[in-house]
């Protein structure tokens, strides 16, 4: 089997170690004998249905977000990504990427940046810099990460959060929600990188990508996650 990881705006949206998520997905697939291709999809690139079996969209500063928001809209890639998620293709987005998949992101300076409207949510820049270790309870169990954002995200239409904050700020530091999950698309503020320390979530993305691509239920062979879980449990113990 083979999966193609669509790395959205890798050259512009990749801060706080977010490429570690690509490495985790790639290695966890290769350790199971699954071939992997990573396709960077950035400004000016074309995108069509089936080009990627899973999308990753990392964090970025406001300036990069403004360039990306305009490309998503003008190139039509935002609409293609939305249609791919609707048919079940999984996606992980972190912070700046997550913000641009909502309805809009209003930065401190300048106009609102239009989002792809994948997540029923909107983000407003704030004067709080929300930085620190982030621990949440979710359908994947406890998840641990690191957040660094000023944007506060508010969920709408009863869409599910990824989880509820145990320690940290999360979406907005008020309603205790963190992130958002819609079909197989996840948005969150969990840099870190997220997936190396949360192997259950990493495998969930791989399983969904393979099942949508090959049209059948797929059980992934278990891996020895001793090291990953040591890192996970140490973070929960220290910060949870
Ligand atoms: N510029 C956005 C904010 O500060 C996103 C930052 C990020 O991706 N870490 O909220």
């Amino acid at each position: 089997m083979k999966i193609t990881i669509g790395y959205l705006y890798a050259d512009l949206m990749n801060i706080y170690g977010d490429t570690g998520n690509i490495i985790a997905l790639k290695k966890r697939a290769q350790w199971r004998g699954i071939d992997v291709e990573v396709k960077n999809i950035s400004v000016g690139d074309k995108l069509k249905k089936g080009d990627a079996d899973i999308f990753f969209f990392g964090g970025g500063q406001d300036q990069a977000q403004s360039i990306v928001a305009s490309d998503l809209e003008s190139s039509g890639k935002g609409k293609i990504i939305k249609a791919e998620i609707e048919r079940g293709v999984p996606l992980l987005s972190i912070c700046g990427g997550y913000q641009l998949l909502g309805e809009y992101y209003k930065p401190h300076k300048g106009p609102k940046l239009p989002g792809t409207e994948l997540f029923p949510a909107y983000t407003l820049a704030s004067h709080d810099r929300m930085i620190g270790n982030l621990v949440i309870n979710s359908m994947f169990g406890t998840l641990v990460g690191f957040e660094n954002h000023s944007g506060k995200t508010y969920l709408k239409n009863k869409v599910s959060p990824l989880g509820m904050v145990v320690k940290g700020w999360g979406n907005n530091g008020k309603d205790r929600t963190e992130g958002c999950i819609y079909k197989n698309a996840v948005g969150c503020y969990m840099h870190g990188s997220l997936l190396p320390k949360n192997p259950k979530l990493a495998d969930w993305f791989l399983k969904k990508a393979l099942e949508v691509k090959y049209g059948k239920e797929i059980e992934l062979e278990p891996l020895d996650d001793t090291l990953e879980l040591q890192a996970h449990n140490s973070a929960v113990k220290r910060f949870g």
Side-chain angles (χ1 to χ4, degrees):
M1 292 190 284
K2 175 183 175 184
I3 59 163
T4 300
I5 302 172
Y7 192 168
L8 295 169
Y9 304 96
D11 51 332
L12 290 162
M13 301 290 285
N14 156 30
I15 51 178
Y16 312 134
D18 285 344
T19 295
N21 294 296
I22 300 285
I23 298 169
L25 288 169
K26 191 170 168 185
K27 296 310 286 179
R28 296 185 72 82
Q30 290 172 334
W31 289 336
R32 293 169 164 122
I34 300 164
D35 291 333
V36 180
E37 181 192 354
V38 178
K39 204 182 261 186
N40 289 344
I41 302 162
S42 192
V43 176
D45 290 333
K46 298 243 175 300
L47 178 67
K48 66 182 186 314
K49 179 179 175 190
D51 276 354
D53 305 308
I54 177 171
F55 288 102
F56 177 72
F57 197 0
Q61 304 304 353
D62 287 14
Q63 306 86 316
Q65 286 179 282
S66 165
I67 298 165
V68 169
S70 132
D71 182 68
L72 278 168
E73 193 171 43
S74 62
S75 69
K77 289 201 281 284
K79 284 195 173 56
I80 300 285
I81 293 163
K82 197 162 182 285
E84 290 293 80
I85 301 320
E86 288 299 337
R87 71 180 181 90
V89 173
L91 169 144
L92 171 61
S93 58
I94 313 261
C95 205
Y98 166 37
Q99 294 171 344
L100 294 182
L101 294 176
E103 292 175 5
Y104 62 84
Y105 168 49
K106 174 67 183 78
H108 278 296
K109 291 196 196 78
K112 271 184 193 176
L113 303 180
T116 63
E117 298 183 358
L118 172 67
F119 296 129
Y122 62 92
T123 303
L124 307 171
S126 77
H127 293 292
D128 297 319
R129 188 87 219 162
M130 293 159 276
I131 298 182
N133 293 286
L134 179 53
V135 180
I136 70 170
N137 285 331
S138 78
M139 62 187 258
F140 304 100
T142 307
L143 296 176
V144 293
F146 186 85
E147 61 187 322
N148 181 345
H149 55 110
S150 81
K152 293 186 173 182
T153 297
Y154 300 91
L155 303 183
K156 294 170 61 175
N157 313 346
K158 299 199 178 351
V159 70
S160 302
L162 172 61
M164 298 307 283
V165 173
V166 172
K167 167 81 171 55
W169 299 74
N171 277 328
N172 51 53
K174 280 209 177 40
D175 62 15
R176 291 191 53 252
T177 65
E178 159 50 9
C180 180
I181 183 164
Y182 170 69
K183 294 196 173 213
N184 295 325
V186 168
C188 66
Y189 278 108
M190 304 182 92
H191 296 286
S193 347
L194 176 63
L195 296 182
K197 287 198 294 291
N198 298 283
K200 194 172 169 191
L201 180 60
D203 284 352
W204 180 83
F205 282 111
L206 289 177
K207 176 178 165 69
K208 292 295 179 190
L210 291 165
E211 289 181 344
V212 169
K213 178 169 187 174
Y214 293 102
K216 61 180 181 180
E217 176 136 3
I218 288 178
E219 280 316 316
L220 293 174
E221 170 202 331
L223 295 175
D224 173 3
D225 284 333
T226 307
L227 284 180
E228 290 82 354
L229 293 174
Q230 269 176 358
H232 177 95
N233 297 336
S234 145
V236 173
K237 198 157 159 252
R238 286 171 61 198
F239 310 117

